[in-house]
Amino acid sequence: MNQAVAISGVGCLCAAGMTLASASASMLRRERNPGPPRAFLTSHPSPYPVFEVLAALPRQGNNPELLRTTRLALSALAEALVDAGLDDADLFGLKVGVCIGTTVGSAMNNEDFYRDFRSGADPSMAPIERYLRSNPASAVARHYRLDGPCQVVVNACASGTDAIGLGASWVRSGVCDIALVGGADELCRTTYNGFASLMIADSKPCKPFDQQRRGLNLGEGAGMLVLESAASLRSRGKSPRGYLLGYGSGTDAYHLTAPHPEGRGLRQALAETLRTANVKAQQVSFINVHGTGTPDNDRVESLVLGQLFPRTPLVATKCYTGHTLGAAGAIEAVLTLASLEQQQLPGNVGLTHADPELSVYPSAEPVGVRGTLAISESLAFGGNNSALLIGLEVPR
């Protein structure tokens, strides 16, 4: 059975750029600009750098009644809809669903309210009401007056990838004509301190797959895709930009925060992804790896990919975007499609000392690729692993 679902539009914003085009271009120029967090105060003697979106959000992301995670999603979606050639009126009368991944979203950003409440005070409920209004999928559906299925996926750092896979199933099954899918997450003091306490945050700019890697840098942003049925595309004379060809997930349940040493869950996810697309590993042009820069993540990814894809080029984009948690899988899916179109991968800018324990790793310099298929994969806390196969065309 053909599992392909057309991608008619994409958009993203992150620290690398406020649009997909600007992010792709800056990454190919090897530009990155991590710095101390500005969204919140930190008392760490040496602040862990973050990849923060410092520019003003576009008009669609300016609603002060919504929290930042949702405004990031609306901003990326606006770009995706323009790319798809759709406006509000076009969506009216169609079966349109919304599926967005996030992690803590904005749940942990009301510290003053929680502090006052725990002290016995009677704080205003306004922060909680704003939080409840800011469910990303519900807010998008409300903004565009959509009445299709509406779902937020919270599955740690695989959330964005899983949201895309779930939304594609709605289009494939005929539940939706269009699914607006992706992921969004904002920087948060709680997660910032949480990763520091786990000792998997680097106090310097992250160095995925480098021998001296010390951990990740957090980031924020959103990636959104418009998935559309073939019938809907035909009705408006639109050609797809690409295809979502396969999706797989695997859970190894090995540890709360560490991947299985042999990458058991990742192997399951990759096998399911290839099987659902009826594609062999040799057909894959490159893999956008999870590549956080933590010692365990990079070791396990290199082990699995060295055995299953020994000659396939790799790219690690978190060295430019930071780890955007629930947004990461969606941002990386969008960047994967852009790299397929450009037939070029950005260099792994943090890699200066090759790790002899890793059999495969991304090139430090930009490299050209050939082909029409690529994988984007996510490894998440709790042993959750997910992958997407993205293509410029449907393989015969």
Side-chain angles (χ1 to χ4, degrees), residues 2-10 77 80-87 90-92 94-97 164 166-181 224-245 394:
N2 182 4
Q3 299 282 315
V5 173
I7 303 170
S8 57
V10 292
L77 178 58
L81 288 171
V82 170
D83 188 42
L86 292 165
D87 59 24
D90 296 321
L91 298 176
F92 183 76
L94 295 175
K95 296 179 291 184
V96 183
I164 296 169
L166 177 58
S169 73
W170 297 347
V171 176
R172 190 181 301 115
S173 65
V175 171
C176 292
D177 302 307
I178 291 173
L180 309 177
V181 301
M224 293 295 296
L225 300 85
V226 179
L227 305 181
E228 190 164 357
S229 70
S232 178
L233 278 168
R234 278 196 304 271
S235 70
R236 58 191 194 94
K238 177 76 176 177
S239 298
R241 183 163 179 170
Y243 294 90
L244 180 64
L245 300 168
V394 180

Side-chain angles (χ1 to χ4, degrees), residues 1-7 160-169 172 181 225 227 242-250 268-280 284 286 309 329 333 336 340 372-378 385-395:
M1 178 180 176
N2 182 4
Q3 299 282 315
V5 173
I7 303 170
T161 301
D162 289 328
I164 296 169
L166 177 58
S169 73
R172 190 181 301 115
V181 301
L225 300 85
L227 305 181
Y243 294 90
L244 180 64
L245 300 168
Y247 161 66
S249 64
Q268 294 170 351
L270 290 168
E272 185 178 19
T273 300
L274 295 175
R275 179 175 55 76
T276 55
N278 194 27
V279 163
K280 298 184 183 305
V284 177
F286 68 88
F309 299 87
T336 297
L340 274 173
T372 62
L373 306 176
I375 285 176
S376 179
E377 65 185 31
S378 300
N385 303 266
S386 300
L388 303 168
L389 182 71
I390 295 168
L392 297 178
E393 59 188 33
V394 180

Side-chain angles (χ1 to χ4, degrees), residues 122-184:
D122 185 21
S124 165
M125 293 299 290
I128 303 305
E129 291 166 354
R130 190 165 79 131
Y131 166 67
L132 294 174
R133 278 195 303 274
S134 297
N135 175 301
S138 296
V140 166
R142 198 166 58 243
H143 182 87
Y144 289 100
R145 293 174 293 175
L146 309 175
D147 59 3
C150 185
Q151 179 72 49
V152 167
V153 175
V154 181
N155 193 22
C157 302
S159 300
T161 301
D162 289 328
I164 296 169
L166 177 58
S169 73
W170 297 347
V171 176
R172 190 181 301 115
S173 65
V175 171
C176 292
D177 302 307
I178 291 173
L180 309 177
V181 301

Side-chain angles (χ1 to χ4, degrees), residues 256-292:
L256 282 176
T257 59
H260 187 279
E262 301 298 321
R264 189 170 60 195
L266 178 58
R267 293 174 195 272
Q268 294 170 351
L270 290 168
E272 185 178 19
T273 300
L274 295 175
R275 179 175 55 76
T276 55
N278 194 27
V279 163
K280 298 184 183 305
Q282 296 84 348
Q283 295 176 260
V284 177
S285 302
F286 68 88
I287 298 173
N288 193 341
V289 299
H290 194 58
T292 58

